[in-house]
Coordinates of all heavy atoms in Angstrom, one line a residue:
M197 N -83.1 73.8 85.0 CA -83.6 75.0 85.7 C -84.7 75.6 84.9 O -84.4 76.0 83.7 CB -82.4 76.0 86.0 CG -82.6 76.7 87.3 SD -81.2 77.9 87.4 CE -79.8 76.7 87.7
R198 N -85.8 75.8 85.6 CA -86.9 76.3 84.7 C -86.9 77.7 84.6 O -87.5 78.3 83.7 CB -88.2 75.7 85.3 CG -88.6 74.3 84.9 CD -89.8 73.9 85.6 NE -89.7 74.0 87.1 CZ -90.7 73.8 87.9 NH1 -92.0 73.6 87.4 NH2 -90.6 74.0 89.2
Y199 N -86.5 78.3 85.7 CA -86.6 79.9 85.8 C -85.2 80.4 85.9 O -84.3 79.9 86.6 CB -87.4 80.4 86.9 CG -88.8 79.8 86.9 CD1 -89.1 78.7 87.8 CD2 -89.8 80.3 86.0 CE1 -90.4 78.2 87.7 CE2 -91.0 79.8 86.1 CZ -91.4 78.8 86.9 OH -92.6 78.2 86.9
G200 N -84.9 81.5 85.2 CA -83.5 82.0 85.2 C -83.0 82.4 86.5 O -81.8 82.3 86.9
L201 N -84.0 83.0 87.4 CA -83.6 83.5 88.6 C -83.7 82.4 89.7 O -83.3 82.8 90.9 CB -84.4 84.7 89.0 CG -84.3 85.9 88.1 CD1 -85.4 87.0 88.4 CD2 -82.9 86.5 88.3
E202 N -84.1 81.3 89.4 CA -84.3 80.3 90.4 C -83.2 79.3 90.4 O -82.7 78.8 89.5 CB -85.5 79.5 90.3 CG -86.0 78.7 91.3 CD -87.4 78.0 91.2 OE1 -88.3 78.8 90.8 OE2 -87.6 76.8 91.4
S203 N -82.7 79.0 91.7 CA -81.6 78.0 91.8 C -82.0 77.0 92.9 O -82.9 77.1 93.6 CB -80.3 78.7 92.1 OG -80.3 79.4 93.4
T204 N -81.2 75.9 92.9 CA -81.4 74.9 93.9 C -80.2 74.8 94.8 O -79.1 74.8 94.4 CB -81.6 73.6 93.3 OG1 -82.8 73.7 92.4 CG2 -81.9 72.4 94.3
E205 N -80.4 74.8 96.1 CA -79.4 74.6 97.1 C -79.7 73.5 98.0 O -80.9 73.3 98.4 CB -79.2 76.0 97.9 CG -78.9 77.1 96.9 CD -78.1 78.2 97.6 OE1 -77.3 77.8 98.5 OE2 -78.1 79.3 97.1
N206 N -78.6 72.9 98.5 CA -78.9 71.9 99.5 C -78.6 72.4 100.9 O -77.6 73.1 101.1 CB -77.9 70.7 99.3 CG -78.3 69.8 98.1 OD1 -79.4 69.3 98.0 ND2 -77.4 69.8 97.1
W207 N -79.6 72.2 101.8 CA -79.5 72.7 103.1 C -80.2 71.7 104.0 O -81.4 71.4 103.8 CB -80.0 74.1 103.2 CG -79.8 74.7 104.6 CD1 -78.7 74.6 105.3 CD2 -80.8 75.6 105.2 NE1 -79.0 75.3 106.5 CE2 -80.2 75.9 106.5 CE3 -82.1 76.0 104.9 CZ2 -80.8 76.7 107.4 CZ3 -82.7 76.7 105.9 CH2 -82.1 77.2 107.1
Q208 N -79.6 71.3 105.1 CA -80.3 70.5 106.1 C -80.8 69.2 105.5 O -81.9 68.8 105.8 CB -81.3 71.3 106.8 CG -80.8 72.4 107.6 CD -81.8 73.1 108.5 OE1 -83.0 73.1 108.2 NE2 -81.4 73.7 109.6
G209 N -80.1 68.7 104.5 CA -80.5 67.5 103.9 C -81.7 67.6 103.0 O -82.2 66.5 102.5
E210 N -82.1 68.7 102.7 CA -83.2 69.0 101.7 C -82.7 69.9 100.5 O -81.8 70.6 100.7 CB -84.4 69.6 102.4 CG -85.0 68.8 103.3 CD -86.3 69.5 103.8 OE1 -86.1 70.4 104.7 OE2 -87.4 69.2 103.4
E211 N -83.4 69.7 99.4 CA -83.2 70.6 98.3 C -84.1 71.8 98.4 O -85.3 71.6 98.6 CB -83.5 69.9 97.0 CG -82.4 69.0 96.6 CD -82.6 68.5 95.1 OE1 -83.5 69.0 94.4 OE2 -81.8 67.7 94.6
W212 N -83.6 72.9 98.4 CA -84.3 74.2 98.5 C -84.3 74.9 97.2 O -83.2 75.1 96.6 CB -83.7 75.0 99.6 CG -83.9 74.5 101.0 CD1 -83.3 73.4 101.5 CD2 -84.7 75.1 102.1 NE1 -83.8 73.2 102.8 CE2 -84.6 74.3 103.1 CE3 -85.5 76.2 102.0 CZ2 -85.3 74.5 104.3 CZ3 -86.3 76.5 103.2 CH2 -86.1 75.6 104.3
A213 N -85.4 75.4 96.8 CA -85.5 76.3 95.7 C -85.3 77.7 96.3 O -85.9 78.1 97.2 CB -86.9 76.2 95.0
V214 N -84.5 78.4 95.5 CA -84.2 79.8 95.9 C -84.4 80.7 94.8 O -83.9 80.5 93.7 CB -82.7 79.9 96.5 CG1 -82.4 81.3 96.9 CG2 -82.4 78.9 97.5
R215 N -85.2 81.7 95.0 CA -85.5 82.7 94.0 C -85.3 84.1 94.5 O -85.6 84.5 95.5 CB -87.0 82.5 93.5 CG -87.3 83.3 92.2 CD -88.7 83.2 91.8 NE -89.1 81.8 91.5 CZ -90.3 81.4 91.4 NH1 -91.3 82.2 91.5 NH2 -90.6 80.1 91.1
A216 N -84.6 84.9 93.6 CA -84.4 86.3 93.9 C -85.7 87.0 93.7 O -86.4 86.9 92.7 CB -83.3 86.8 93.0
V217 N -86.0 87.9 94.6 CA -87.2 88.8 94.5 C -86.6 90.2 94.3 O -85.9 90.7 95.2 CB -88.1 88.7 95.7 CG1 -89.2 89.7 95.6 CG2 -88.5 87.3 95.9
G218 N -87.0 90.8 93.2 CA -86.6 92.2 93.0 C -87.3 93.2 93.8 O -88.4 92.9 94.4
G219 N -86.7 94.3 94.1 CA -87.4 95.2 94.9 C -88.8 95.7 94.4 O -89.7 95.9 95.2
G220 N -89.0 95.8 93.1 CA -90.2 96.2 92.5 C -91.3 95.1 92.8 O -92.5 95.5 92.9
A221 N -91.0 93.9 93.0 CA -92.0 92.9 93.2 C -92.4 92.6 94.6 O -93.3 92.0 94.9 CB -91.4 91.5 92.6
A222 N -91.6 93.2 95.5 CA -91.9 93.1 97.0 C -92.9 94.1 97.4 O -92.5 95.3 97.5 CB -90.5 93.1 97.8
A223 N -94.1 93.7 97.6 CA -95.1 94.7 97.9 C -95.5 94.6 99.4 O -96.5 95.4 99.7 CB -96.3 94.5 96.9
K224 N -95.0 93.8 100.2 CA -95.5 93.7 101.5 C -94.3 93.5 102.5 O -93.2 93.2 102.1 CB -96.6 92.7 101.7 CG -96.2 91.3 101.1 CD -97.5 90.4 101.1 CE -97.4 89.6 102.4 NZ -98.3 88.4 102.2
H225 N -94.7 93.5 103.8 CA -93.6 93.2 104.7 C -93.5 91.7 104.9 O -94.5 91.0 105.0 CB -94.0 93.8 106.1 CG -93.8 95.3 106.1 ND1 -92.6 95.9 106.6 CD2 -94.6 96.3 105.7 CE1 -92.8 97.3 106.5 NE2 -94.0 97.5 105.9
Y226 N -92.2 91.2 105.0 CA -91.9 89.8 105.3 C -91.0 89.8 106.5 O -90.3 90.7 106.8 CB -91.3 89.2 104.2 CG -92.1 89.1 102.9 CD1 -91.8 89.9 101.9 CD2 -93.2 88.2 102.8 CE1 -92.6 89.9 100.6 CE2 -93.9 88.2 101.6 CZ -93.6 89.0 100.6 OH -94.4 89.1 99.4
R227 N -91.1 88.7 107.3 CA -90.2 88.5 108.4 C -89.1 87.5 108.0 O -89.5 86.4 107.6 CB -90.9 88.1 109.7 CG -90.1 88.0 110.8 CD -90.8 88.0 112.2 NE -91.6 89.2 112.4 CZ -91.1 90.3 113.0 NH1 -89.8 90.3 113.4 NH2 -91.8 91.3 113.2
C228 N -87.9 88.0 108.1 CA -86.7 87.1 107.7 C -86.5 86.1 108.9 O -86.2 86.6 110.0 CB -85.5 88.0 107.4 SG -84.0 87.1 107.3
P229 N -86.5 84.8 108.6 CA -86.3 83.8 109.6 C -84.8 83.8 110.1 O -84.5 83.3 111.2 CB -86.5 82.5 109.0 CG -86.5 82.7 107.6 CD -86.8 84.2 107.3
G230 N -83.9 84.4 109.4 CA -82.5 84.5 109.7 C -82.2 85.4 110.9 O -81.4 85.1 111.7
C231 N -82.8 86.6 110.8 CA -82.5 87.6 111.8 C -83.8 88.0 112.6 O -83.7 88.9 113.5 CB -81.8 88.8 111.1 SG -82.9 89.6 109.9
D232 N -85.0 87.5 112.2 CA -86.2 87.9 112.8 C -86.5 89.4 112.7 O -87.1 90.0 113.6 CB -86.2 87.5 114.3 CG -87.6 87.3 114.8 OD1 -88.5 86.9 114.0 OD2 -87.8 87.6 116.0
Q233 N -86.0 90.0 111.6 CA -86.3 91.4 111.3 C -87.2 91.5 110.1 O -87.2 90.5 109.2 CB -85.1 92.1 111.0 CG -84.0 92.1 112.2 CD -84.5 92.9 113.3 OE1 -84.9 94.0 113.3 NE2 -84.5 92.2 114.5
E234 N -87.9 92.5 109.9 CA -88.8 92.7 108.8 C -88.1 93.0 107.6 O -87.1 93.8 107.7 CB -89.9 93.7 109.1 CG -91.0 93.1 110.0 CD -92.3 94.0 109.9 OE1 -92.2 95.1 109.4 OE2 -93.3 93.4 110.3
I235 N -88.5 92.6 106.5 CA -88.0 93.0 105.2 C -89.1 94.0 104.5 O -90.2 93.6 104.2 CB -87.8 91.8 104.1 CG1 -86.9 90.8 104.8 CG2 -87.3 92.3 102.8 CD1 -86.8 89.5 103.9
P236 N -88.8 95.2 104.6 CA -89.8 96.2 104.1 C -90.0 96.1 102.5 O -89.2 95.6 101.8 CB -89.2 97.5 104.5 CG -87.8 97.4 104.8 CD -87.6 95.9 104.9
P237 N -91.2 96.6 102.2 CA -91.4 96.6 100.7 C -90.3 97.4 99.9 O -89.8 98.3 100.4 CB -92.8 97.4 100.6 CG -93.4 97.2 101.9 CD -92.3 97.2 102.9
G238 N -90.1 96.8 98.7 CA -89.1 97.5 97.9 C -87.7 97.1 98.1 O -86.8 97.6 97.4
V239 N -87.5 96.1 99.0 CA -86.0 95.7 99.2 C -85.9 94.4 98.6 O -86.6 93.4 98.9 CB -85.8 95.6 100.8 CG1 -84.5 95.0 101.0 CG2 -85.9 96.9 101.4
P240 N -84.9 94.3 97.7 CA -84.7 93.0 97.0 C -84.2 91.9 98.1 O -83.5 92.3 99.0 CB -83.5 93.3 96.1 CG -83.5 94.8 96.0 CD -84.0 95.3 97.2
H241 N -84.7 90.7 97.9 CA -84.3 89.7 98.9 C -84.5 88.3 98.2 O -84.6 88.3 97.0 CB -85.2 89.8 100.2 CG -86.7 89.7 99.8 ND1 -87.5 90.7 99.5 CD2 -87.5 88.6 99.9 CE1 -88.7 90.3 99.3 NE2 -88.8 89.0 99.5
L242 N -84.5 87.3 99.0 CA -84.6 85.9 98.4 C -85.9 85.3 99.0 O -86.2 85.6 100.2 CB -83.4 85.1 98.7 CG -82.1 85.6 98.2 CD1 -80.9 84.7 98.8 CD2 -82.0 85.5 96.8
V243 N -86.5 84.5 98.2 CA -87.5 83.6 98.8 C -87.0 82.1 98.6 O -86.5 81.8 97.5 CB -88.9 83.8 98.1 CG1 -88.9 83.6 96.6 CG2 -90.0 82.9 98.8
A244 N -87.2 81.3 99.7 CA -86.6 80.0 99.7 C -87.6 79.0 100.2 O -88.4 79.3 101.1 CB -85.3 79.8 100.4
W245 N -87.7 77.8 99.6 CA -88.7 76.8 100.2 C -88.1 75.4 99.8 O -87.4 75.3 98.8 CB -90.1 77.0 99.6 CG -90.2 76.9 98.1 CD1 -90.5 75.6 97.4 CD2 -89.9 77.8 97.1 NE1 -90.5 75.9 96.1 CE2 -90.2 77.1 95.9 CE3 -89.5 79.1 97.1 CZ2 -89.9 77.8 94.7 CZ3 -89.3 79.8 95.9 CH2 -89.6 79.1 94.6
P246 N -88.5 74.5 100.6 CA -88.1 73.0 100.4 C -88.7 72.6 99.0 O -89.8 72.8 98.9 CB -88.5 72.2 101.5 CG -88.8 73.2 102.6 CD -89.2 74.5 101.9
R247 N -87.9 71.9 98.2 CA -88.4 71.4 96.9 C -89.6 70.5 97.1 O -90.5 70.5 96.3 CB -87.3 70.7 96.1 CG -86.4 71.6 95.4 CD -86.9 71.9 94.0 NE -85.9 72.8 93.3 CZ -86.3 73.7 92.4 NH1 -87.6 73.9 92.2 NH2 -85.5 74.4 91.9
F248 N -89.5 69.6 98.1 CA -90.4 68.5 98.2 C -91.3 68.7 99.5 O -90.8 69.0 100.5 CB -89.7 67.2 98.3 CG -88.8 67.0 97.1 CD1 -87.4 67.1 97.2 CD2 -89.4 66.8 95.8 CE1 -86.6 67.0 96.1 CE2 -88.5 66.6 94.7 CZ -87.2 66.7 94.9
G249 N -92.6 68.5 99.3 CA -93.5 68.5 100.5 C -93.7 69.9 101.0 O -94.2 70.0 102.1
A250 N -93.4 70.9 100.2 CA -93.6 72.3 100.7 C -94.8 72.9 99.9 O -95.0 72.7 98.7 CB -92.4 73.2 100.5
G251 N -95.6 73.6 100.6 CA -96.7 74.4 100.0 C -96.3 75.9 100.0 O -95.2 76.3 100.4
V252 N -97.2 76.7 99.5 CA -96.9 78.1 99.3 C -96.6 78.7 100.7 O -95.7 79.6 100.8 CB -98.1 78.8 98.6 CG1 -97.9 80.3 98.7 CG2 -98.1 78.4 97.2
D253 N -97.3 78.2 101.7 CA -97.1 78.7 103.0 C -95.7 78.5 103.6 O -95.3 79.1 104.6 CB -98.1 78.2 104.0 CG -99.5 78.8 103.7 OD1 -99.6 79.7 102.9 OD2 -100.5 78.1 104.2
D254 N -95.0 77.5 103.0 CA -93.7 77.2 103.5 C -92.6 78.1 102.9 O -91.5 78.0 103.2 CB -93.4 75.7 103.2 CG -94.2 74.8 104.1 OD1 -94.4 75.0 105.2 OD2 -94.7 73.8 103.4
R255 N -93.0 78.9 102.0 CA -92.0 79.8 101.4 C -91.6 80.8 102.5 O -92.4 81.3 103.2 CB -92.6 80.5 100.2 CG -92.9 79.5 99.2 CD -93.3 80.2 97.9 NE -93.5 79.1 96.9 CZ -93.4 79.3 95.5 NH1 -93.2 80.5 95.1 NH2 -93.6 78.3 94.7
R256 N -90.3 81.0 102.5 CA -89.7 82.0 103.5 C -89.0 83.1 102.8 O -88.2 82.8 101.9 CB -88.8 81.3 104.5 CG -89.6 80.3 105.4 CD -90.4 81.1 106.5 NE -91.2 80.1 107.4 CZ -92.5 79.7 107.1 NH1 -93.1 80.2 106.0 NH2 -93.0 78.9 107.8
H257 N -89.1 84.3 103.2 CA -88.4 85.4 102.6 C -87.2 85.8 103.6 O -87.3 85.9 104.7 CB -89.3 86.6 102.5 CG -90.5 86.3 101.5 ND1 -90.5 86.9 100.3 CD2 -91.5 85.6 101.6 CE1 -91.5 86.5 99.6 NE2 -92.2 85.7 100.4
W258 N -86.1 85.8 102.9 CA -84.8 86.0 103.6 C -84.1 87.2 103.1 O -84.2 87.5 101.8 CB -83.9 84.9 103.4 CG -84.3 83.6 104.0 CD1 -85.3 82.7 103.5 CD2 -83.7 82.9 105.0 NE1 -85.3 81.6 104.3 CE2 -84.3 81.6 105.2 CE3 -82.6 83.2 105.9 CZ2 -83.9 80.7 106.2 CZ3 -82.2 82.3 106.9 CH2 -82.9 81.1 107.1
H259 N -83.4 88.0 103.9 CA -82.4 88.9 103.4 C -81.3 88.1 102.7 O -81.0 86.9 103.2 CB -81.7 89.6 104.6 CG -82.6 90.6 105.3 ND1 -83.0 90.3 106.6 CD2 -83.2 91.7 104.9 CE1 -83.9 91.3 107.0 NE2 -83.9 92.2 106.0
K260 N -80.8 88.6 101.7 CA -79.6 87.9 101.0 C -78.6 87.4 102.0 O -78.0 86.4 102.0 CB -79.1 88.7 99.8 CG -80.1 88.8 98.6 CD -79.5 89.5 97.5 CE -80.5 89.6 96.4 NZ -80.1 90.4 95.3
A261 N -78.2 88.4 102.8 CA -77.0 88.2 103.7 C -77.4 87.0 104.7 O -76.6 86.3 105.1 CB -76.6 89.4 104.4
C262 N -78.6 87.1 105.1 CA -79.1 86.1 106.1 C -79.1 84.7 105.5 O -78.7 83.7 106.1 CB -80.5 86.4 106.7 SG -80.3 88.0 107.6
W263 N -79.6 84.6 104.3 CA -79.5 83.3 103.6 C -78.2 82.8 103.5 O -77.9 81.7 103.7 CB -80.4 83.5 102.3 CG -80.2 82.1 101.5 CD1 -79.4 81.9 100.3 CD2 -81.0 81.0 101.7 NE1 -79.7 80.6 99.9 CE2 -80.7 80.0 100.6 CE3 -82.0 80.6 102.6 CZ2 -81.2 78.7 100.7 CZ3 -82.5 79.3 102.6 CH2 -82.1 78.4 101.6
N264 N -77.2 83.7 103.0 CA -75.9 83.3 102.8 C -75.3 82.8 104.1 O -74.3 82.0 104.2 CB -75.1 84.4 102.2 CG -75.4 84.7 100.8 OD1 -75.9 83.7 100.1 ND2 -75.3 85.9 100.3
A265 N -75.8 83.3 105.3 CA -75.2 83.0 106.6 C -76.1 82.0 107.3 O -75.9 81.8 108.5 CB -75.0 84.3 107.4
R266 N -77.0 81.3 106.5 CA -78.0 80.5 107.3 C -77.3 79.3 108.0 O -77.9 78.9 109.0 CB -79.0 79.9 106.3 CG -78.4 78.9 105.2 CD -79.3 78.8 104.0 NE -78.8 77.8 103.1 CZ -77.9 78.2 102.1 NH1 -77.4 79.3 102.1 NH2 -77.6 77.2 101.3
D267 N -76.2 78.8 107.6 CA -75.6 77.7 108.3 C -75.1 78.2 109.6 O -75.3 77.4 110.7 CB -74.4 77.1 107.5 CG -74.8 76.3 106.3 OD1 -76.0 75.7 106.5 OD2 -74.3 76.3 105.3
R268 N -74.5 79.3 109.7 CA -74.1 79.9 110.9 C -75.3 80.0 111.8 O -75.3 79.8 113.0 CB -73.3 81.2 110.7 CG -72.1 81.3 111.4 CD -71.1 82.4 110.9 NE -71.8 83.5 110.4 CZ -71.5 84.2 109.2 NH1 -70.7 83.6 108.4 NH2 -72.1 85.2 108.9
R269 N -76.4 80.7 111.2 CA -77.5 81.1 112.1 C -78.2 79.8 112.6 O -78.7 79.8 113.7 CB -78.4 82.0 111.2 CG -77.8 83.3 111.0 CD -78.6 84.2 110.1 NE -77.9 85.4 109.8 CZ -77.9 86.5 110.6 NH1 -78.6 86.5 111.7 NH2 -77.3 87.6 110.2
S270 N -78.4 78.9 111.6 CA -79.2 77.7 112.0 C -78.4 76.9 113.1 O -78.9 76.3 114.0 CB -79.6 76.9 110.8 OG -78.5 76.4 110.3
A271 N -77.1 76.8 112.9 CA -76.3 76.1 113.8 C -76.4 76.7 115.3 O -76.6 75.9 116.2 CB -74.8 76.1 113.4
R272 N -76.5 78.0 115.3 CA -76.7 78.6 116.5 C -78.0 78.3 117.2 O -78.2 78.1 118.3 CB -76.5 80.2 116.3 CG -76.3 80.9 117.7 CD -76.0 82.3 117.5 NE -77.1 83.0 116.7 CZ -76.9 84.1 116.0 NH1 -75.8 84.7 116.0 NH2 -78.0 84.6 115.4
L273 N -79.0 78.4 116.3 CA -80.4 78.0 116.8 C -80.4 76.6 117.3 O -81.0 76.4 118.3 CB -81.4 78.2 115.6 CG -81.6 79.7 115.2 CD1 -82.5 79.7 114.1 CD2 -82.1 80.5 116.3
Q274 N -79.9 75.7 116.5 CA -80.1 74.3 117.0 C -79.2 74.0 118.2 O -79.6 73.1 118.9 CB -79.5 73.4 115.8 CG -80.5 73.3 114.6 CD -80.0 72.7 113.4 OE1 -78.9 72.2 113.3 NE2 -80.8 72.7 112.3
R275 N -78.1 74.7 118.3 CA -77.2 74.4 119.4 C -77.7 75.0 120.7 O -77.3 74.5 121.8 CB -75.8 75.1 119.1 CG -74.7 74.1 119.2 CD -73.4 74.8 119.1 NE -72.9 75.2 117.8 CZ -72.7 76.4 117.4 NH1 -72.8 77.4 118.3 NH2 -72.3 76.7 116.1
S276 N -78.7 75.9 120.6 CA -79.1 76.7 121.8 C -79.6 75.7 123.0 O -79.4 76.0 124.1 CB -80.1 77.7 121.5 OG -81.3 77.1 121.0
R277 N -80.3 74.6 122.5 CA -80.8 73.7 123.6 C -79.7 73.0 124.4 O -79.9 73.0 125.6 CB -81.8 72.8 122.9 CG -82.9 72.4 123.9 CD -83.9 71.3 123.3 NE -83.9 71.4 121.8 CZ -84.5 70.3 121.2 NH1 -84.9 69.3 121.8 NH2 -84.5 70.4 119.9
N278 N -78.8 72.5 123.7 CA -77.8 71.7 124.4 C -76.4 72.3 124.4 O -75.4 71.7 124.6 CB -77.6 70.3 123.7 CG -78.9 69.4 123.8 OD1 -79.6 69.4 124.9 ND2 -79.4 68.9 122.7
A279 N -76.5 73.6 124.2 CA -75.2 74.3 124.1 C -74.4 74.4 125.4 O -75.0 74.5 126.4 CB -75.5 75.8 123.7
P280 N -73.1 74.1 125.2 CA -72.3 74.4 126.4 C -72.2 75.9 126.7 O -72.3 76.7 125.8 CB -70.9 73.9 126.0 CG -71.0 74.0 124.4 CD -72.4 73.7 124.1
R281 N -72.2 76.3 127.9 CA -72.1 77.7 128.2 C -70.8 78.2 128.2 O -69.9 77.6 128.8 CB -72.8 77.9 129.6 CG -74.2 77.6 129.7 CD -74.7 77.8 131.1 NE -76.2 77.1 131.2 CZ -77.2 77.7 130.7 NH1 -77.2 78.9 130.2 NH2 -78.4 77.2 130.8
Y282 N -70.6 79.2 127.5 CA -69.2 79.8 127.4 C -68.9 80.9 128.5 O -69.9 81.5 128.8 CB -69.1 80.5 126.1 CG -69.2 79.5 124.9 CD1 -70.3 79.6 124.1 CD2 -68.2 78.6 124.6 CE1 -70.5 78.6 123.0 CE2 -68.3 77.7 123.6 CZ -69.5 77.7 122.8 OH -69.6 76.9 121.7
Ligands
ZN519 ZN1 -82.6 88.8 107.8

């Protein structure tokens, strides 16, 4: 691990680099892909990107809670097309 705050997680068959972003470093609005809500400046969150084949533009900013719940959220997203109706 090259950076203390960076870790690697496996998700969807890929290795993702995950880095914590402190509130002081967040200077703009980001849209969290987990909940489709904005992360305002000054809010600590996470930035994650696939280790391989990803450019800077592929980095995504997530709320910590949304990243932790990403399996639930992505499962719901992927299921929506062929989902049985409840
Ligand atoms: Zn979110």
Side-chain angles (χ1 to χ4, degrees):
M197 214 182 287
R198 282 178 300 168
Y199 304 101
L201 290 174
E202 191 173 314
S203 62
T204 299
E205 304 211 21
N206 286 303
W207 184 42
Q208 295 185 333
E210 290 188 279
E211 282 193 5
W212 289 68
V214 182
R215 189 181 298 171
V217 178
K224 49 189 267 197
H225 287 263
Y226 298 105
R227 186 165 292 277
C228 169
C231 63
D232 204 31
Q233 302 292 310
E234 284 198 342
I235 303 172
V239 173
H241 60 275
L242 299 173
V243 57
W245 65 95
R247 279 266 182 222
F248 304 105
V252 172
D253 289 346
D254 293 314
R255 299 188 175 202
R256 293 288 177 266
H257 294 255
W258 294 72
H259 296 109
K260 284 181 185 174
C262 295
W263 175 256
N264 289 334
R266 64 195 183 282
D267 286 327
R268 224 162 38 227
R269 293 175 185 276
S270 64
R272 193 174 59 201
L273 291 176
Q274 288 169 1
R275 236 189 280 122
S276 61
R277 210 183 334 165
N278 298 314
R281 294 178 192 280
Y282 297 107

